[in-house]
Amino acid sequence: MKFFRSLFLTNRFFYAGLFIAFCYVIAFFLSPIYIIAKILTLVFIVSVIVEIFLVYIPKTSIEVLRNYPERLSNGDENELELFVTNHYQFPLNVRIIEEFPVQLQLRDFQFRKRFKSSQNTKFDFKIRPTERGSYKFGLTNVFISVFGLIEKKIKINEPISIACYPSYLQLKQFQLYSTAQLQNQFV
């Protein structure tokens, strides 16, 4: 049952199936196309089975590490980072969806990249919280595929909660500014 919960069919899977069905419709009128449609069906089925084996059989996986601040600054751009490493021995298509807090209202934020074998990548992004309180970041959902016909969903990282305080980043800038002004007065 766990296998079926983590298996997703992509748009490419359905487009390929639609194209094969279209070939069978054309084959009804032009009989030589029937052989081509059968070959395409066989190639499609073998490709899906091979992709399932490539994605599910290896014990290695993909690693995603969060580098989030200990606290967030309200009203300021806060920098966040995700470090992604491909531990598979072949290239992968990777799609990462981070479960952001409800307060941020980010619903379509995702990263897509084609990873080479053993490749490391850093994704930088900024968020701007608009209210104080606790921001609960959920799981990191990673979807991996080889040919793009199916995707395997992997849930990585535990949910974390980060407190958001009044704008301490701007407070530091004003503190530096006032210190510089005091130094200029005494010179």
Side-chain angles (χ1 to χ4, degrees):
M1 195 63 159
K2 186 178 179 182
F3 169 78
F4 291 111
R5 287 185 185 167
S6 66
L7 177 68
F8 288 84
L9 305 177
T10 65
N11 287 342
R12 189 177 292 178
F13 176 89
F14 291 108
Y15 292 146
L18 186 64
F19 178 73
I20 291 170
F22 180 72
C23 287
Y24 278 110
V25 170
I26 297 297
F28 183 74
F29 300 107
L30 299 170
S31 59
I33 303 289
Y34 184 69
I35 296 169
I36 295 171
K38 283 181 113 176
I39 292 171
L40 287 176
T41 304
L42 181 65
V43 168
F44 176 70
I45 292 170
V46 168
S47 297
V48 170
I49 291 171
V50 167
E51 184 166 19
I52 288 172
F53 277 111
L54 285 175
V55 172
Y56 280 93
I57 297 300
K59 298 293 181 197
T60 59
S61 187
I62 195 155
E63 181 181 17
V64 179
L65 298 173
R66 291 175 171 160
N67 186 15
Y68 290 179
E70 293 179 11
R71 60 185 178 182
L72 298 173
S73 178
N74 189 13
D76 296 325
E77 295 285 332
N78 294 276
E79 294 185 11
L80 301 131
E81 299 172 334
L82 288 175
F83 295 97
V84 183
T85 305
N86 176 15
H87 292 295
Y88 284 91
Q89 297 301 316
F90 45 84
L92 283 178
N93 297 317
V94 177
R95 183 169 55 111
I96 301 171
I97 300 175
E98 181 74 5
E99 292 178 0
F100 286 108
V102 175
Q103 299 98 317
L104 295 177
Q105 297 295 313
L106 295 172
R107 304 209 192 293
D108 59 350
F109 194 83
Q110 61 183 336
F111 299 106
R112 290 179 182 265
K113 184 164 175 61
R114 174 102 175 140
F115 280 82
K116 296 177 184 170
S117 176
S118 304
Q119 180 182 357
N120 299 327
T121 300
K122 179 176 87 167
F123 294 105
D124 296 324
F125 57 98
K126 296 180 181 181
I127 60 168
R128 185 179 186 155
T130 56
E131 58 187 57
R132 292 171 31 191
S134 179
Y135 282 71
K136 292 176 178 42
F137 290 83
L139 298 170
T140 303
N141 298 301
V142 180
F143 297 86
I144 59 172
S145 69
V146 179
F147 307 129
L149 296 172
I150 61 109
E151 288 182 331
K152 177 185 177 185
K153 179 180 179 181
I154 305 170
K155 295 180 181 181
I156 302 177
N157 294 331
E158 293 297 318
I160 59 171
S161 182
I162 301 176
C164 182
Y165 295 106
S167 183
Y168 68 86
L169 292 178
Q170 288 182 7
L171 186 63
K172 284 182 183 178
Q173 290 176 349
F174 287 126
Q175 184 180 11
L176 289 173
Y177 178 74
S178 65
T179 304
Q181 289 296 330
L182 284 173
Q183 288 178 351
N184 286 341
Q185 288 179 353
F186 294 117
V187 173

